[in-house]
Amino acid sequence: MKDVKGMSREEKHRYIFEDKSFENRPRVKWITDCLLGDIRTFLYCIENRIKEKHAGKAFSDGFGNLSIPILISTALEFVAALYTGKTKYKDGERYKAIENVKEFIKKYFPEFYKKMPTIFWDGVRNGHVHTFYPKSFEHQGKHTYIRFGFYVEDQNYPSHIRKRDNTIWICINVFELFRVLESAIRDYLNELKCDEKLQDNFIMAWSSIEDYIESVDKNQKEDMNELEAYLGRDSSAPLILINFRKE
């Protein structure tokens, strides 16, 4: 991990905004072009699939209600770690993703999200990642339930809350959610240009992730032996020996 105390302001700026040693592009460009760029690619494909549906063309693909919230949550967790300077690889067991995300949301997200950062994170991220469906909550004693729904049919139809019977539905347009995240990250990166404390956090967090190498544990040793045996004396070997054909 980088020692930010030994870095000049110029070195810090260069590490974040100019240095291309990480995947041949400045680190902030990796955030905007790769991390967010991948999500844009998915959304662009979803737009095309919706157009095909409206044009009456046959299709069997989904529309990203599951995958896009997971991607957005992943990007949010990563950038929130850069914002606070806290990562699993630097802080170990003390690392709490929800605390990082809560700080980032309260600083950069619109007002509605500031009011429910923990429910949003637990319901959306933990629900989708662990059970592939957003979590539902019950407000004990009030017999009120909170549920999430995601939609993509009309990217300009706003996210909203509605109450039906004893259930509060938080309905989120995934296109709008991405725009919220993109705007929040843009505001953060603008502040990063001149805030040295944010720069220190960024460098400590990023370098702790980039420089981390995990030792093979006892459960992985057999895999490692098999890998080395398969490679043998060769410098390369195919991973897949079957030729896949498109139907």
Side-chain angles (χ1 to χ4, degrees), residues 36-48 63-64 67-68 71 175:
L36 295 181
D38 279 0
I39 305 176
R40 289 191 202 99
T41 299
F42 273 83
L43 291 173
Y44 176 75
C45 293
I46 291 170
E47 283 184 292
N48 287 337
F63 288 117
S67 58
I68 297 299
L71 290 172
F175 285 95

Side-chain angles (χ1 to χ4, degrees), residues 14-187:
R14 189 179 307 116
Y15 178 91
I16 299 169
F17 298 99
E18 299 174 13
D19 179 66
K20 294 184 179 180
S21 61
F22 183 80
E23 296 196 359
N24 200 36
R25 71 186 72 216
R27 290 171 176 84
V28 292
K29 292 290 288 180
W30 186 89
I31 294 172
T32 56
D33 296 355
C34 297
L35 187 64
L36 295 181
D38 279 0
I39 305 176
R40 289 191 202 99
T41 299
F42 273 83
L43 291 173
Y44 176 75
C45 293
I46 291 170
E47 283 184 292
N48 287 337
R49 298 303 282 164
I50 292 172
K51 290 177 182 178
E52 290 180 1
K53 177 184 176 182
H54 292 165
K57 296 182 180 179
F59 67 93
S60 59
D61 300 340
F63 288 117
N65 299 57
L66 170 65
S67 58
I68 297 299
I70 292 175
L71 290 172
I72 289 175
S73 297
T74 300
L76 173 58
E77 180 175 355
F78 178 70
V79 176
L82 298 177
Y83 171 68
T84 63
K86 300 173 184 176
T87 71
K88 176 181 178 181
Y89 307 109
K90 184 173 76 70
D91 299 279
E93 294 300 321
R94 294 176 298 156
Y95 169 73
K96 301 292 183 184
I98 193 169
E99 294 177 2
N100 290 349
V101 169
K102 185 176 181 179
E103 284 190 44
F104 189 84
I105 287 177
K106 283 188 169 291
K107 173 69 175 180
Y108 296 108
F109 270 49
E111 287 303 317
F112 169 71
Y113 291 95
K114 295 180 193 292
K115 299 178 185 298
M116 54 155 223
T118 55
I119 286 180
F120 171 76
W121 179 253
D122 198 18
V124 177
R125 189 273 183 188
N126 293 339
H128 276 96
V129 170
H130 297 301
T131 65
F132 309 105
Y133 193 78
K135 278 188 181 182
S136 299
F137 301 92
E138 180 184 4
H139 192 172
Q140 296 291 335
K142 293 192 175 182
H143 304 292
T144 300
Y145 299 90
I146 299 173
R147 301 183 189 277
F148 286 89
F150 294 86
Y151 59 95
V152 297
E153 286 293 319
D154 182 354
Q155 65 170 289
N156 296 312
Y157 189 67
S159 303
H160 61 279
I161 307 173
R162 69 171 183 265
K163 188 171 184 179
R164 180 178 298 168
D165 299 325
N166 61 340
T167 300
I168 297 174
W169 282 93
I170 301 173
C171 304
I172 298 177
N173 184 325
V174 296
F175 285 95
E176 184 180 82
L177 180 59
F178 175 70
R179 289 194 291 267
V180 166
L181 175 69
E182 190 175 37
S183 176
I185 291 177
R186 182 168 56 247
D187 291 343

